[in-house]
Amino acid sequence: MSKYKTVIWPKVVLFGDSITQFSFQANGWGTEIANKLARKCDVVNRGLSGYNSRWAKIVLPRLIDCQNSADNNIAAVTVFFGANDSALEDKNPQQHVPLQEYSENLKEITGLLASAGVSADKVVFITPPPIHEPSWEKECVLKGCPLNRHNSVVGQYAQACVKAAHQCGTDVLDLWTLMQKDGQDYTVYLSDGLHLSEKGNQFVAQHLWGLLESRVANLPFILPYWGDVNAMSPESSLLCDQ
């Protein structure tokens, strides 16, 4: 058994649906966040395509150890649900979650995170982005189903997310509002009317980093910079506790 202490890397956990799952693709917002935090912490993708907040709160204890919170060493968690919850009940009952339940689920997720040692000040809610109905309708038709989301309804879920964040004491990134601010053309942020384009990923990364940076600013650079390693006795530099 090694007598040297294992280096424990802090974690930033990205918890959400497909918009989170796909964030590690080339030029994805998760990739950008991970790049900024290289050598400081692990960025862990826990995106689950198609999931809603109802299913999220059920699986969360399987993803983060709530029994041994001291072992988690989590610097921040993003909670990014709503794009599926806001699906129209009559068109997509499997994914739809009623507005009030969605709000309560977000609060319950915050409570579960707290039991895992992740306080509310380490949590960032992210609202669903706006929906471009004509583009998304084309995708629905290709799948043999009618348009199953309306932007105005998504906006209600975004507002509920913002309100829940204020009630829970978490930060929130309101994509639905920011992407439509001042009547700008938000379609450039979407690839198919629902998921993010490359520009949309850049938008999320930029605004999310503004919220995450303060939570990770004090994380140390893990293991010595190569120029600081004692070439004659590397063990003295590389095996010391930091």
Side-chain angles (χ1 to χ4, degrees):
M1 181 180 295
S2 173
K3 64 180 179 179
Y4 299 107
K5 186 178 179 181
T6 302
V7 178
I8 304 298
W9 293 58
K11 294 190 286 285
V12 170
V13 180
L14 312 180
F15 185 43
D17 52 35
S18 61
I19 302 177
T20 296
Q21 180 177 320
F22 301 152
S23 73
F24 271 20
Q25 294 180 343
N27 301 310
W29 63 269
T31 302
E32 180 65 21
I33 297 299
N35 184 54
K36 287 180 178 293
L37 291 173
R39 291 283 293 275
K40 286 196 168 186
C41 71
D42 288 333
V43 177
V44 182
N45 188 327
R46 292 294 179 264
L48 302 164
S49 179
Y51 274 49
N52 56 32
S53 63
R54 180 185 294 162
W55 303 341
K57 71 177 184 181
I58 295 172
V59 301
L60 182 56
R62 301 187 66 187
L63 305 180
I64 296 178
D65 190 349
C66 297
Q67 302 301 316
N68 300 297
S69 59
D71 296 336
N72 288 324
N73 197 19
I74 294 174
V77 176
T78 61
V79 178
F80 194 174
F81 290 96
N84 297 315
D85 299 68
S86 59
L88 302 176
E89 183 176 14
D90 60 335
K91 301 294 194 299
N92 187 351
Q94 184 175 8
Q95 291 180 303
H96 169 80
V97 172
L99 187 61
Q100 184 59 39
E101 182 190 341
Y102 168 69
S103 177
E104 294 303 317
N105 289 342
L106 292 178
K107 296 174 188 176
E108 192 167 338
I109 287 171
T110 306
L112 289 168
L113 289 171
S115 69
V118 184
S119 55
D121 62 305
K122 295 181 178 180
V123 179
V124 178
F125 286 174
I126 307 177
T127 77
I131 292 286
H132 184 242
E133 293 171 23
S135 298
W136 184 242
E137 185 171 23
K138 292 178 182 178
E139 296 295 319
C140 291
V141 169
L142 289 174
K143 297 174 182 177
C145 61
L147 177 66
N148 55 24
R149 288 165 172 81
H150 289 160
N151 193 39
S152 60
V153 175
V154 178
Q156 295 173 15
Y157 282 74
Q159 291 172 10
C161 180
V162 170
K163 185 176 180 180
H166 292 159
Q167 292 171 337
C168 293
T170 73
D171 256 334
V172 61
L173 174 55
D174 185 358
L175 291 180
W176 192 87
T177 298
L178 284 173
M179 286 184 170
Q180 299 179 93
K181 189 175 181 181
D182 300 326
Q184 65 179 307
D185 178 15
Y186 68 88
T187 62
V188 297
Y189 299 126
L190 305 171
S191 63
D192 56 7
L194 173 64
H195 299 95
L196 299 175
S197 64
E198 183 173 335
K199 190 167 184 177
N201 275 281
Q202 293 172 353
F203 185 96
V204 173
Q206 175 188 348
H207 288 274
L208 180 58
W209 182 247
L211 297 176
L212 286 179
E213 190 171 12
S214 62
R215 291 167 170 80
V216 298
N218 293 326
L219 293 178
F221 196 65
I222 297 177
L223 295 175
Y225 173 65
W226 72 267
D228 295 330
V229 175
N230 183 337
M232 301 303 295
S233 177
E235 291 84 359
S236 65
S237 301
L238 301 178
L239 297 179
C240 62
D241 289 340
Q242 287 186 297

